[in-house]
Amino acid sequence: PEKLADLQIYRAQLRRILLNSLYFLEIKADGEIFYKIGITTRQIEERIAEIQRDLKQHYSDIVVNLLGLWQHRGNVELYFKHRYKAFNYPIGSLTEYFKFSDVKPVLNDLFEMEAKELSRVELNIIELQSLSPTFLGHLESA
Protein backbone atom coordinates (compact mmCIF):
# COMPACT_ATOMS: atom_id res chain seq x y z
CA PRO A 1 0.00 0.00 0.00
CA GLU A 2 2.83 2.43 0.78
CA LYS A 3 4.49 1.88 -2.61
CA LEU A 4 1.15 2.28 -4.38
CA ALA A 5 0.55 5.54 -2.49
CA ASP A 6 4.04 6.76 -3.51
CA LEU A 7 3.28 5.85 -7.12
CA GLN A 8 -0.04 7.68 -7.03
CA ILE A 9 1.61 10.81 -5.60
CA TYR A 10 4.36 10.65 -8.24
CA ARG A 11 1.78 10.13 -10.99
CA ALA A 12 -0.29 13.10 -9.80
CA GLN A 13 2.78 15.36 -9.76
CA LEU A 14 3.89 14.20 -13.21
CA ARG A 15 0.36 14.67 -14.55
CA ARG A 16 0.35 18.24 -13.25
CA ILE A 17 3.65 18.95 -15.02
CA LEU A 18 2.48 17.41 -18.29
CA LEU A 19 -0.90 19.17 -18.32
CA ASN A 20 0.61 22.63 -17.82
CA SER A 21 1.94 24.86 -20.57
CA LEU A 22 4.73 27.31 -19.87
CA TYR A 23 4.19 30.84 -21.18
CA PHE A 24 6.45 33.88 -21.45
CA LEU A 25 4.89 37.33 -21.83
CA GLU A 26 6.14 40.81 -22.53
CA ILE A 27 4.13 43.45 -20.68
CA LYS A 28 4.10 47.15 -21.44
CA ALA A 29 2.41 49.07 -18.64
CA ASP A 30 2.42 52.83 -18.13
CA GLY A 31 5.70 53.19 -20.06
CA GLU A 32 7.47 50.29 -18.33
CA ILE A 33 8.44 46.99 -19.97
CA PHE A 34 8.68 43.81 -17.94
CA TYR A 35 8.10 40.09 -18.45
CA LYS A 36 6.06 37.31 -16.91
CA ILE A 37 6.75 33.61 -16.77
CA GLY A 38 4.03 31.21 -15.72
CA ILE A 39 2.18 27.97 -16.29
CA THR A 40 -1.44 27.30 -17.11
CA THR A 41 -3.78 24.52 -18.11
CA ARG A 42 -6.22 27.01 -19.59
CA GLN A 43 -6.28 28.69 -22.99
CA ILE A 44 -3.56 31.34 -23.08
CA GLU A 45 -6.05 34.07 -24.03
CA GLU A 46 -8.01 33.37 -20.86
CA ARG A 47 -4.84 33.52 -18.76
CA ILE A 48 -3.70 36.78 -20.39
CA ALA A 49 -7.08 38.38 -19.65
CA GLU A 50 -6.68 37.37 -15.99
CA ILE A 51 -3.16 38.83 -15.86
CA GLN A 52 -4.44 42.10 -17.31
CA ARG A 53 -7.12 42.23 -14.59
CA ASP A 54 -4.48 41.60 -11.90
CA LEU A 55 -2.22 44.34 -13.27
CA LYS A 56 -5.08 46.88 -13.44
CA GLN A 57 -4.66 47.24 -9.68
CA HIS A 58 -1.18 48.69 -10.31
CA TYR A 59 -1.23 50.15 -13.85
CA SER A 60 -3.74 51.87 -16.11
CA ASP A 61 -2.40 51.28 -19.65
CA ILE A 62 -1.46 47.60 -20.14
CA VAL A 63 -0.45 45.74 -23.32
CA VAL A 64 0.45 42.05 -23.10
CA ASN A 65 2.33 40.23 -25.87
CA LEU A 66 2.81 36.46 -25.92
CA LEU A 67 6.48 35.73 -26.66
CA GLY A 68 6.36 31.96 -26.23
CA LEU A 69 4.16 29.03 -25.26
CA TRP A 70 5.47 25.53 -24.60
CA GLN A 71 3.13 22.57 -24.09
CA HIS A 72 3.78 19.99 -21.33
CA ARG A 73 6.48 22.13 -19.69
CA GLY A 74 5.08 22.80 -16.22
CA ASN A 75 8.42 21.75 -14.75
CA VAL A 76 10.39 24.67 -16.25
CA GLU A 77 8.77 27.54 -14.35
CA LEU A 78 10.54 26.85 -11.03
CA TYR A 79 13.91 26.50 -12.78
CA PHE A 80 13.32 29.80 -14.63
CA LYS A 81 12.47 31.60 -11.38
CA HIS A 82 15.65 30.25 -9.78
CA ARG A 83 17.92 31.00 -12.74
CA TYR A 84 16.66 34.57 -13.17
CA LYS A 85 15.91 35.46 -9.54
CA ALA A 86 18.27 38.46 -9.74
CA PHE A 87 15.87 39.98 -12.28
CA ASN A 88 12.70 39.34 -10.30
CA TYR A 89 10.36 42.33 -10.33
CA PRO A 90 7.59 41.85 -7.75
CA ILE A 91 4.47 43.93 -8.26
CA GLY A 92 2.59 44.01 -4.98
CA SER A 93 1.91 40.35 -4.16
CA LEU A 94 2.52 39.29 -7.79
CA THR A 95 5.87 37.50 -7.96
CA GLU A 96 6.34 35.98 -11.42
CA TYR A 97 7.44 39.20 -13.10
CA PHE A 98 10.95 40.04 -14.28
CA LYS A 99 12.83 43.03 -15.68
CA PHE A 100 15.64 42.36 -18.13
CA SER A 101 17.87 44.96 -19.78
CA ASP A 102 18.18 42.53 -22.70
CA VAL A 103 15.57 39.80 -23.05
CA LYS A 104 17.22 38.11 -26.06
CA PRO A 105 19.42 35.72 -24.03
CA VAL A 106 16.38 34.73 -21.97
CA LEU A 107 14.34 34.06 -25.10
CA ASN A 108 17.23 32.06 -26.54
CA ASP A 109 17.27 29.89 -23.40
CA LEU A 110 13.55 29.26 -23.65
CA PHE A 111 13.52 28.57 -27.38
CA GLU A 112 16.36 26.07 -27.02
CA MET A 113 13.84 23.71 -25.38
CA GLU A 114 12.78 21.08 -27.85
CA ALA A 115 9.08 20.38 -28.23
CA LYS A 116 7.98 17.86 -25.62
CA GLU A 117 6.75 14.71 -27.31
CA LEU A 118 4.68 12.65 -24.91
CA SER A 119 5.48 8.96 -24.55
CA ARG A 120 2.75 6.35 -24.37
CA VAL A 121 3.18 6.15 -20.60
CA GLU A 122 2.91 9.94 -20.27
CA LEU A 123 -0.24 9.97 -22.41
CA ASN A 124 -1.73 7.32 -20.13
CA ILE A 125 -0.84 9.39 -17.07
CA ILE A 126 -2.70 12.36 -18.54
CA GLU A 127 -5.73 10.35 -19.63
CA LEU A 128 -6.22 7.99 -16.71
CA GLN A 129 -7.91 9.16 -13.53
CA SER A 130 -6.81 6.23 -11.41
CA LEU A 131 -4.20 3.53 -11.48
CA SER A 132 -5.54 0.71 -13.58
CA PRO A 133 -3.92 -2.67 -14.32
CA THR A 134 -3.26 -1.40 -17.88
CA PHE A 135 -1.44 1.67 -16.52
CA LEU A 136 0.63 -0.44 -14.14
CA GLY A 137 1.48 -2.76 -17.03
CA HIS A 138 2.71 0.20 -19.07
CA LEU A 139 4.88 1.35 -16.19
CA GLU A 140 6.44 -2.09 -15.86
CA SER A 141 7.23 -2.21 -19.59
CA ALA A 142 8.62 1.36 -19.73
Side-chain angles (χ1 to χ4, degrees):
E2 183 179 329
K3 288 180 183 180
L4 184 57
D6 289 346
L7 180 59
Q8 288 174 324
I9 291 168
Y10 172 77
R11 181 187 164 275
Q13 291 296 327
L14 184 56
R15 186 173 192 272
R16 181 183 173 278
I17 288 168
L18 295 173
L19 285 175
N20 275 290
S21 295
L22 179 77
Y23 60 83
F24 189 62
L25 307 173
E26 176 187 68
I27 299 165
K28 296 177 183 178
D30 296 347
E32 290 188 65
I33 297 176
F34 48 93
Y35 301 88
K36 177 165 179 31
I37 190 82
I39 57 174
T40 187
T41 57
R42 296 177 285 164
Q43 293 295 315
I44 192 62
E45 297 81 10
E46 184 181 339
R47 182 66 183 115
I48 288 173
E50 181 180 47
I51 290 164
Q52 288 173 316
R53 283 191 304 273
D54 290 345
L55 290 173
K56 284 282 186 193
Q57 298 175 20
H58 305 277
Y59 300 95
S60 57
D61 184 29
I62 303 162
V63 177
V64 179
N65 295 309
L66 177 64
L67 299 181
L69 182 66
W70 297 268
Q71 301 287 324
H72 317 298
R73 292 296 188 168
N75 59 323
V76 177
E77 180 191 35
L78 188 58
Y79 169 75
F80 184 98
K81 287 178 172 181
H82 171 74
R83 179 173 176 147
Y84 296 106
K85 68 182 171 189
F87 302 95
N88 187 246
Y89 182 67
I91 301 169
S93 63
L94 308 172
T95 61
E96 297 173 342
Y97 294 87
F98 297 83
K99 266 203 172 189
F100 302 105
S101 56
D102 183 8
V103 75
K104 289 178 187 174
V106 177
L107 284 169
N108 288 339
D109 282 350
L110 289 169
F111 279 103
E112 282 182 6
M113 285 188 297
E114 294 181 18
K116 173 71 173 146
E117 299 292 328
L118 297 179
S119 69
R120 187 169 37 105
V121 170
E122 290 169 329
L123 286 169
N124 284 338
I125 287 171
I126 288 173
E127 294 169 2
L128 296 176
Q129 296 302 314
S130 62
L131 291 174
S132 68
T134 304
F135 173 76
L136 292 173
H138 287 305
L139 280 179
E140 290 172 1
S141 66

